[in-house]
Amino acid sequence: MRVLLRVLAPLLGFAVALVGVLVLLEVVAAWVRPDGTGGLVVPWPDWYATLARTTWTDAPVPGLAIGAAVLGLLLVLVGLLARRPDIAVDGPVPEITVITSPRVLARLVGRRVRSADDIAAASVTASRRRVAVAAEAWSDAGPELVDSVRARVEGLLDELPLHHRPRVTVTVRDRKGPR
């Protein structure tokens, strides 16, 4: 949802800016040549005449009003559903709200995993619900390395006062080359 908002916000901003520029052009054109019969870019006299003849009960008006209301509600829902990806942490007292970012949690887990001697490299992604560790082991590492890495991550998560404990997934592959 946040990606959708990041795309929609500039597009809507550009549309509003374009309408503002068009209104500015029309106002300046009407001010410079007051006897002009039409608009400079937009045929606003024709639009005005058409809207003067249109009543609220004509066919397109209720449909357009309902469509605009539905579009507005959809935009409000998209804005409300685009939550921040912060991770809740239990504060020292209940009155204090503490949050951390997934990036900080991923860095903590990554440092803990990389501190092992049998791990050559590790990539960690974290979210509110899941911590995924992709580790590269030296070629002489044993098959129990997955359990060892999982235990390290679980130990770190036990030390942190997280409000909800994320699920941990660990994958380990051998690194080719000399140590």
Side-chain angles (χ1 to χ4, degrees):
M1 286 291 184
R2 290 180 62 103
V3 173
L4 181 63
L5 278 182
R6 288 183 180 184
V7 171
L8 276 180
L11 290 177
L12 289 175
F14 180 70
V16 168
L18 184 66
V19 168
V21 168
L22 285 176
V23 167
L24 181 69
L25 284 173
E26 292 295 327
V27 167
V28 169
W31 182 56
V32 169
R33 31 178 218 127
D35 59 340
T37 57
L40 183 65
V41 178
V42 180
W44 62 268
D46 298 336
W47 289 2
Y48 181 77
T50 303
L51 290 176
R53 289 189 310 268
T54 305
T55 64
W56 286 104
T57 57
D58 286 348
V61 174
L64 290 174
I66 290 171
V70 167
L71 180 66
L73 283 175
L74 284 175
L75 288 175
V76 167
L77 282 175
V78 165
L80 289 175
L81 292 176
R83 296 175 291 173
R84 292 180 52 106
D86 293 333
I87 298 171
V89 179
D90 293 333
V93 292
E95 293 83 23
I96 297 176
T97 302
V98 181
I99 58 172
T100 187
S101 69
R103 181 180 292 173
V104 170
L105 182 60
R107 284 182 181 173
L108 285 171
V109 171
R111 284 185 181 165
R112 178 69 61 100
V113 170
R114 287 184 209 100
S115 68
D117 290 335
D118 43 1
I119 299 293
S123 172
V124 180
T125 56
S127 70
R128 194 179 300 176
R129 294 184 181 98
R130 186 175 87 117
V131 173
V133 178
E136 288 186 15
W138 295 109
S139 58
D140 58 352
E144 69 281 346
L145 187 60
V146 173
D147 295 330
S148 171
V149 170
R150 185 181 309 279
R152 279 181 178 277
V153 174
E154 297 282 346
L156 175 67
L157 293 179
D158 288 339
E159 294 172 14
L160 297 175
L162 297 175
H163 192 65
H164 295 289
R165 184 181 178 92
R167 189 179 44 143
V168 177
T169 58
V170 175
T171 57
V172 177
R173 64 184 179 122
D174 286 340
R175 184 176 203 165
K176 305 298 183 217
R179 190 168 192 170

